[in-house]
């Protein structure tokens, strides 16, 4: 794609980007009670607050889901949003790649991805600590101190290295300081902890010293721009990944060359969120996270990253009207270029191509709009040109979205047909193999089967041919093949469904059972959004024994009383807040535990995770896990099914003691927001594969236990193996279909949908 940059002298020769990984906006901006004077409120970041009040422009940078480190940094530095699962990892253009030189300091988890994809690997220099330094049993602020020290050492090295000195004094250079300590301390102790709050002080003091060192090194030449922000926030539990506002609201503070001073004349942009920060006398300038990339490119005069969808925040710029108008124009042309590439590709590959109406009509033809903007700039009507640029950017982004979702109707229809086909195919298999004896299945030589095969072959050939002509991705072929196969098998064995229907006529309540079953599945879907629904379900289940014959109840009084108490206790759990508040009982219990552990700590001082404890934890994990196999199958000892289930359950119980309870994982539906505390007793060194594997192991345990119960029920009812499992597996895809239509590729959490005021304009956050 064509690259664009402003051909006017930029305000800055160099740009410093500080990213406080995992820093919540409110934790930086809010005031705290002074420990020495309870009536006095102080800030944890006096240097950055002074910048906000006297020297720069500030606001909230709104992120997208997933609120994770990689997609957050990609949005900041490259200006585009990765897929919602944070799985797609491709090479991309970035501000670093467009700079003359970039030096980056920090985590090995983030820095390499911007160096490996650079057009010139020698252009991006990475200085990283080892992954073993990311130890959650230690105060992680030392990681940030290391970054500050390494940058200071770089400047010191330049005094004896002429080549390095010349590079540092060149223009269009970027220095990136990745500060991971906040994220690590947030995971380990939570964002309200003294470790996290103290880390904010460390970051503020470090930046203060670094800025002074920089200004001394460059002789206060007024050609340095600074940007401080964060990739994502942090929930109260120390997690992130979802769309909760605590995760999506991050700070943005910019100062130095080319940046506006605080606006105190008309301080707009405030809401309830910033009410208690005592900054309402200064304008708050909110942006979207991807907007930072074009801002950085504008400040040092480099090409805008070709995939950037960020909108240049003109409210941050302090420059001439022509520079601001030209910058907005370049921003519009860069995004329009992406639209044009998508347009040409779709037009060339789609048989029944439909243009995006927003940029193809006479009112908003993009070629006409570009010429109008150029004419306005030539006529020195800069504000009018900026306004038209905003419209062109908006339409170009809508056009991009239009072409990105161009095949959605077709794909959703195919996938829906596939899921429905799989459900019926699985039911057919279950009915044929487990429900009916073969002699009861009507045997018919159906001539229509020949036509079914012919139609199937023709449909498959036409579909594959259509996909080939349209140069569709390889995955599209899979989407087509599976539903065609499933529906062919369903139609060929349609007699099984007819027999099942005839058989159900003999059982008048069958239809009601099926409808009730589907409704229960829909209730479970709704429970993902409203947990209290599960409390209602548990409450109903508590009274289930009342519908059993009195004879059975009288024989199992203790069992049914246990059932009643268990259901009511479970119903309370789903009424509790996700982020547990204070409870007097828990406080008393916690106080007793603290006293006990305090006495032990005084008796024998310990630090971090003792190696002996770690070894014992691993031994317990392994031994308890293999116990069911050894005890039951290894010695061939006959066991009652309840005894067997008890052994299996107790064998896996130590895992929950070591790894915290099942719901201690955080968001069970997404590893993007799992709780690292779950694995601290086994390892404290950050290792995503080991930690992720342990977490998955813990998540699968309840499913394994439930599967064991299914096995027992199968035997008790003399059903074939896996029959109940296959029935549940197939019908649960009804829930899957619900979630398929609820998923959004821009983040599905309701917290992110809303409007914010950015540069005086209302912009939609998705």
């Amino acid at each position: 794609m064509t690259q664009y940059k402003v051909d006017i002298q930029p305000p800055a020769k160099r740009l410093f980007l500080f990213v406080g990984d995992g820093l919540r906006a409110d934790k930086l901006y809010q005031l705290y009670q002074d420990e020495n004077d309870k009536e006095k409120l102080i800030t944890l970041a006096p240097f950055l607050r002074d910048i906000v009040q006297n020297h720069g422009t500030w606001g909230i940078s709104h992120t997208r889901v997933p609120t994770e480190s990689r997609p957050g940094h990609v949005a900041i530095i490259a200006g585009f949003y990765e897929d919602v699962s944070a799985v797609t990892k491709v090479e991309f253009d970035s501000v670093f790649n467009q700079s003359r030189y970039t030096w980056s300091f920090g985590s090995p988890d983030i820095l390499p991805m911007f160096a490996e994809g650079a057009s010139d690997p020698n252009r991006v220099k990475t200085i990283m600590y080892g992954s073993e330094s990311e130890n959650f049993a230690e105060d992680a602020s030392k990681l940030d101190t290391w970054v500050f020290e390494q940058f200071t050492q770089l400047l010191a090295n330049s005094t004896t290295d002429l080549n390095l000195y010349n590079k540092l004094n060149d223009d269009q250079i970027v220095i990136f300081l990745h500060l991971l300590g906040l994220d690590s301390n947030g995971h380990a102790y939570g964002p309200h902890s003294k470790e996290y709050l103290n880390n904010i002080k460390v970051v503020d003091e470090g930046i203060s010293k670094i800025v002074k060192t920089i200004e001394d090194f460059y002789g206060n030449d007024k050609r340095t721009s600074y940007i401080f922000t964060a990739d994502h926030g942090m929930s109260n539990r120390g997690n992130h990944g979802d769309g909760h506002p605590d995760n999506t609201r991050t700070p943005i503070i910019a100062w130095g060359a080319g940046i506006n001073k605080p606006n105190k004349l008309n301080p707009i942009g405030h809401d309830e969120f910033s009410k208690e920060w005592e900054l309402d006398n200064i304008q708050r300038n909110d942006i979207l996270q991807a907007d930072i990339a074009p801002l950085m490119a504008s400040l040092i005069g480099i090409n805008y990253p070709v995939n950037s969808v960020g909108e240049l925040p003109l409210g941050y710029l302090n420059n001439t009207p022509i520079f601001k108008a030209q910058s907005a124009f370049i921003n519009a042309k860069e995004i329009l270029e992406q639209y044009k590439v998508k347009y040409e590709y779709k037009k060339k590959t789609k048989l029944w191509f439909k243009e995006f109406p927003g940029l193809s009509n006479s009112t908003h033809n993009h070629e006409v709009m570009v010429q109008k903007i150029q004419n306005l700039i030539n006529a020195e009507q800069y504000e009018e040109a900026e306004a038209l640029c905003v419209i062109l950017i908006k339409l170009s982004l809508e056009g991009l979205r239009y072409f990105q979702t161009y095949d959605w109707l077709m794909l959703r229809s195919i996938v829906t047909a596939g899921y429905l086909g799989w459900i019926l195919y699985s039911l057919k298999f279950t009915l044929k193999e487990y429900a009916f004896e073969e002699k009861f299945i009507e045997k018919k030589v159906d001539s229509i089967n020949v036509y079914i095969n012919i139609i199937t072959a023709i449909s498959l050939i036409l579909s594959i041919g259509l996909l080939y002509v349209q140069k569709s991705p390889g995955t599209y072929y899979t989407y087509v093949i599976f539903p065609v196969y499933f529906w062919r098998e369903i139609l060929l064995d349609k007699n099984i469904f007819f027999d099942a229907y005839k058989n159900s006529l003999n059982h008048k309540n069958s239809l009601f059972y099926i409808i009730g079953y589907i409704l229960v599945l829909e209730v479970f879907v709704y429970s993902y959004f409203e947990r209290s629904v599960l409390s209602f379900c548990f409450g109903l289940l508590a009274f289930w024994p009342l519908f059993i014959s009195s004879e059975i109840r009288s024989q199992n009084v203790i069992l049914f009383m246990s059932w009643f108490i268990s259901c009511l206790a479970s119903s309370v759990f789903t009424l509790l807040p996700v982020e547990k508040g204070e409870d007097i009982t828990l406080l008393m219990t916690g106080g007793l535990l603290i006293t006990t552990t305090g006495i032990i700590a005084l008796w024998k001082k310990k630090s971090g995770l003792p190696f002996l404890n770690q070894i014992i934890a691993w031994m317990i994990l392994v031994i308890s896990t293999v116990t069911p196999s050894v005890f039951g199958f290894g010695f061939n000892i006959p066991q009652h099914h309840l005894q067997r289930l008890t052994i299996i359950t107790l064998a896996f119980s130590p895992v929950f003691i070591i790894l915290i309870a099942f719901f201690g994982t955080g968001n069970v539906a997404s590893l993007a927001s799992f709780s690292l505390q779950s694995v601290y007793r086994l390892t404290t060194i950050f290792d995503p594969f080991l930690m992720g594997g342990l977490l998955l192991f813990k998540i699968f345990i309840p499913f394994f236990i439930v599967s064991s119960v299914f096995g027992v029920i199968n035997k008790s009812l003399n059903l074939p193996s896996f029959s109940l499992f296959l029935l549940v597996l197939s019908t649960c895809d009804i829930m899957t279909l619900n979630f398929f239509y609820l998923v959004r590729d821009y983040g599905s959490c309701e917290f992110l949908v809303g409007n914010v005021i950015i540069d005086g304009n209302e912009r939609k956050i998705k």
Side-chain angles (χ1 to χ4, degrees):
M1 288 188 287
T2 305
Q3 296 182 327
Y4 296 93
K5 71 174 182 178
V6 180
D7 292 325
I8 302 176
Q9 179 69 28
K13 290 181 62 177
R14 66 201 70 92
L15 181 136
F16 282 77
L17 173 63
F18 304 95
V19 175
D21 200 308
L23 177 59
R24 277 168 51 163
D26 59 334
K27 293 301 176 185
L28 177 70
Y29 292 135
Q30 73 185 63
L31 298 173
Y32 297 83
Q33 193 177 58
D34 190 346
E35 294 181 359
N36 300 319
D37 184 355
K38 301 300 183 182
E39 295 183 358
K40 182 180 179 182
L41 296 177
I42 61 171
T43 177
L44 298 179
F47 175 78
L48 290 173
R49 190 174 181 89
D50 179 64
I51 295 295
V52 168
Q53 293 177 320
N54 302 300
H55 304 287
T57 303
W58 73 288
I60 304 297
S61 172
H62 297 273
T63 74
R64 277 193 187 181
V65 172
T67 45
E68 288 290 325
S69 291
R70 178 187 166 92
H73 282 88
V74 169
I76 292 169
I77 300 167
F80 74 94
Y81 302 101
E82 286 193 307
D83 70 305
V84 293
S85 63
V87 171
T88 301
K89 298 182 180 180
V90 296
E91 293 186 359
F92 50 84
D93 192 18
S94 70
V95 170
F96 295 173
N97 187 54
Q98 294 295 341
S99 68
R100 196 177 306 278
Y101 303 109
T102 291
W103 288 267
S104 55
F105 303 80
S107 168
D109 307 312
I110 297 299
L111 271 53
M113 67 180 177
F114 294 103
E116 293 169 358
S119 56
D120 181 4
N122 296 322
R123 180 178 298 177
V124 182
K125 176 70 174 177
T126 58
I127 300 94
M128 304 173 290
Y129 41 76
S131 58
E132 68 278 359
S133 299
E134 300 178 37
N135 191 337
F136 293 100
E138 302 174 356
D139 183 2
S141 62
K142 67 175 185 178
L143 301 177
D144 301 339
T145 302
W146 185 93
V147 168
F148 295 135
E149 291 173 348
Q150 290 298 310
F151 171 70
T152 304
Q153 186 61 47
L154 178 76
L155 296 186
N157 293 342
S158 70
T159 59
T160 57
D161 186 337
L162 182 59
N163 182 47
L164 176 59
Y165 180 84
N166 290 334
K167 287 182 177 179
L168 286 170
N169 281 276
D170 214 332
D171 62 351
Q172 298 183 345
I173 69 169
V174 177
I175 310 292
F176 171 43
L177 278 69
H178 176 234
L179 308 171
L180 184 64
L182 287 159
D183 185 70
S184 299
N185 277 327
H187 283 308
Y189 307 104
H192 300 296
S193 65
K194 63 180 181 61
E195 289 83 1
Y196 186 88
L197 300 180
N198 181 68
N199 207 147
I200 295 177
K201 295 180 182 179
V202 172
V203 167
D204 184 74
E205 292 170 2
I207 293 176
S208 176
K209 293 176 182 177
I210 288 294
V211 170
K212 185 180 185 306
T213 302
I214 293 167
E215 294 302 325
D216 291 342
F217 182 82
Y218 290 110
N220 295 298
D221 64 355
K222 309 298 183 186
R223 298 296 305 279
T224 307
S225 297
Y226 302 93
I227 292 178
F228 176 81
T229 188
D231 54 343
H232 56 75
M234 182 78 63
S235 73
N236 291 336
R237 297 177 60 192
N239 303 334
H240 55 83
D242 58 34
H244 192 280
D246 288 339
N247 298 335
T248 63
R249 291 185 294 217
T250 62
I252 170 73
I253 303 174
W255 71 99
I259 300 295
N260 269 328
K261 302 293 183 184
N263 180 5
K264 300 181 180 181
L265 296 177
N266 183 27
I268 62 173
H270 290 276
D271 55 19
E272 287 296 318
F273 181 56
S274 58
K275 185 178 181 180
E276 297 180 354
W277 299 346
E278 297 188 8
L279 293 172
D280 51 0
N281 63 321
I282 308 167
Q283 180 169 317
R284 173 180 144 189
N285 299 270
D286 284 15
I287 63 172
L288 303 185
Q289 194 170 50
D291 300 347
I292 298 173
L295 174 62
M296 293 191 291
S298 173
L299 290 171
I300 57 176
I302 60 175
N303 291 325
Y304 286 38
V306 294
N307 300 116
S308 171
V309 294
E311 301 180 48
L312 179 66
L314 295 172
Y316 278 70
L317 293 182
N318 177 24
N319 214 307
T320 61
I322 187 173
F323 180 88
K324 295 175 71 172
Q326 286 283 15
S327 296
F329 190 27
I330 292 301
N331 186 200
K333 289 201 290 186
E334 176 265 325
I335 297 176
L336 177 63
E337 182 69 17
Q338 296 180 64
Y339 164 81
K340 290 161 65 176
V341 169
K342 284 281 186 182
Y343 171 86
E344 292 298 330
Y345 177 77
K346 293 294 183 183
K347 184 177 181 181
K348 184 170 62 175
T349 58
K350 298 302 175 185
L351 295 181
W352 300 280
F353 176 70
K354 294 182 179 180
E355 294 187 347
F356 171 62
L359 284 172
S360 58
N361 55 46
S362 56
T363 306
H364 290 129
N365 181 279
H366 64 83
E367 293 179 352
V368 174
M369 292 183 72
V370 168
Q371 189 58 53
K372 281 184 178 180
I373 295 171
Q374 187 63 65
N375 293 339
L376 288 170
I377 293 175
N378 294 339
E380 299 184 358
Q381 298 179 14
Y382 302 124
E383 291 187 2
E384 292 83 352
E386 290 176 18
L388 195 54
C389 285
V390 170
I391 296 174
L392 180 56
I393 290 173
K394 179 177 179 295
L395 291 173
S396 298
L397 291 173
E398 289 178 359
L400 272 175
R401 180 70 181 168
Y402 173 79
F403 288 124
Q404 287 167 352
T405 59
Y406 193 86
D407 296 325
W408 271 21
L409 179 60
M410 176 193 71
L411 290 176
R412 284 187 168 185
S413 301
I414 292 173
V415 172
T416 300
Y419 271 117
L420 292 174
W422 161 250
I423 292 171
L424 292 175
Y425 176 80
S426 301
L427 285 175
K428 182 212 75 169
F429 182 85
T430 304
L431 292 170
K432 184 177 182 180
E433 297 294 327
Y434 303 127
F436 299 130
E437 293 183 19
E438 190 172 348
K439 63 182 180 180
F440 290 116
I441 301 176
E442 278 193 46
K443 299 290 186 180
K444 291 184 180 179
V445 179
D446 204 336
S447 59
I448 198 172
N449 287 355
V450 177
Y451 297 104
I452 291 173
N453 287 326
I454 293 174
I455 294 172
T456 299
I458 293 174
S459 300
L460 192 60
I461 292 171
L462 288 176
S463 300
I464 292 176
L466 183 63
L467 294 176
Y468 179 79
V469 170
Q470 297 190 136
K471 298 181 179 179
S472 301
T475 51
Y476 284 24
Y477 295 88
T478 307
Y479 297 155
V480 168
I481 291 172
F482 277 105
V484 170
Y485 171 77
F486 289 146
W487 282 100
R488 173 186 176 274
E489 292 297 312
I490 291 166
L491 293 173
L492 289 177
D493 284 332
K494 57 188 177 301
N495 291 334
I496 294 176
F497 294 100
F498 292 140
D499 291 343
Y501 172 72
K502 292 176 183 177
N503 188 53
S504 67
L505 294 177
N506 299 325
H507 303 279
K508 298 180 179 180
N509 295 329
S510 297
L511 181 61
F512 295 103
Y513 287 143
I514 294 173
I515 295 174
Y517 188 76
I518 295 174
L519 289 176
V520 168
L521 292 176
E522 291 299 319
V523 168
F524 284 152
V525 171
Y526 185 68
S527 71
Y528 277 77
F529 306 96
E530 187 58 56
R531 297 169 71 237
S532 59
V533 170
L534 293 177
S535 298
F536 178 74
C537 294
F538 278 122
L540 290 179
L541 285 173
F543 296 96
W544 167 67
L546 296 178
F547 299 92
I548 297 177
S549 67
S550 58
E551 182 181 354
I552 297 177
R553 286 203 308 271
S554 61
Q555 294 173 356
N556 299 275
V557 174
I558 297 177
L559 177 63
F560 286 138
M561 285 299 297
S562 301
W563 170 271
F564 180 79
I565 295 171
S566 298
C567 287
L568 290 185
S570 299
S571 69
V572 174
F573 173 78
T574 48
L575 288 175
L576 297 175
V578 176
E579 296 178 353
K580 191 71 175 68
E582 292 185 356
D583 181 271
I584 189 63
T585 304
L586 291 178
L587 285 175
M588 295 297 292
T589 306
L592 179 61
L593 291 173
I594 291 171
T595 303
T596 304
T597 54
I599 293 172
I600 296 173
L602 290 173
W603 179 257
K604 184 175 181 181
K605 184 179 179 182
K606 295 181 181 180
S607 61
L609 176 62
F611 183 68
L612 179 60
N613 289 28
Q614 188 174 4
I615 293 297
I616 293 173
W618 277 103
M619 289 175 62
I620 293 172
L621 176 69
V622 174
I623 293 172
S624 63
T625 304
V626 300
T627 296
S629 300
V630 175
F631 192 87
F633 303 117
F635 298 102
N636 196 27
I637 302 173
Q639 296 174 342
H640 188 272
H641 64 270
L642 289 179
Q643 182 186 11
R644 182 66 182 159
L645 285 176
T646 302
I647 291 173
I648 292 173
T649 303
L650 291 178
F652 287 113
S653 296
V655 177
F656 288 101
I657 297 172
I658 297 172
L659 296 176
I660 304 181
F662 177 67
F663 288 95
T665 57
N667 185 349
V668 178
S670 172
L671 292 181
S673 60
F674 72 90
S675 174
L676 289 177
Q677 291 94 324
S678 300
V679 296
Y680 281 170
R681 293 174 183 85
L682 296 168
T683 179
T684 58
I685 304 299
F686 181 70
D687 186 332
F689 295 102
L690 176 60
M691 290 178 165
L694 289 170
L695 184 77
L696 283 173
F697 174 64
K698 182 176 70 169
I699 289 175
F700 284 140
I701 288 174
F703 298 102
F704 176 74
I705 294 174
V706 170
S707 298
S708 301
V709 174
F710 270 127
V712 170
I713 295 174
N714 272 347
K715 293 229 177 248
S716 301
L717 299 177
N718 293 319
L719 295 174
S721 300
F722 297 107
S723 57
L724 287 180
F725 173 78
L726 287 173
L727 177 66
V728 172
L729 179 66
S730 59
T731 55
C732 279
D733 278 328
I734 296 173
M735 297 173 63
T736 306
L737 265 177
N738 280 267
F739 290 119
F740 174 68
Y741 282 94
L742 290 171
V743 166
R744 301 291 181 266
D745 69 336
Y746 48 77
S748 58
C749 290
E750 61 180 345
F751 301 111
L752 286 181
V753 181
N755 296 333
V756 294
I757 302 298
I758 297 177
D759 286 346
N761 299 311
E762 192 174 60
R763 286 172 61 184
K764 182 83 170 176
I765 298 181
K766 294 182 178 180

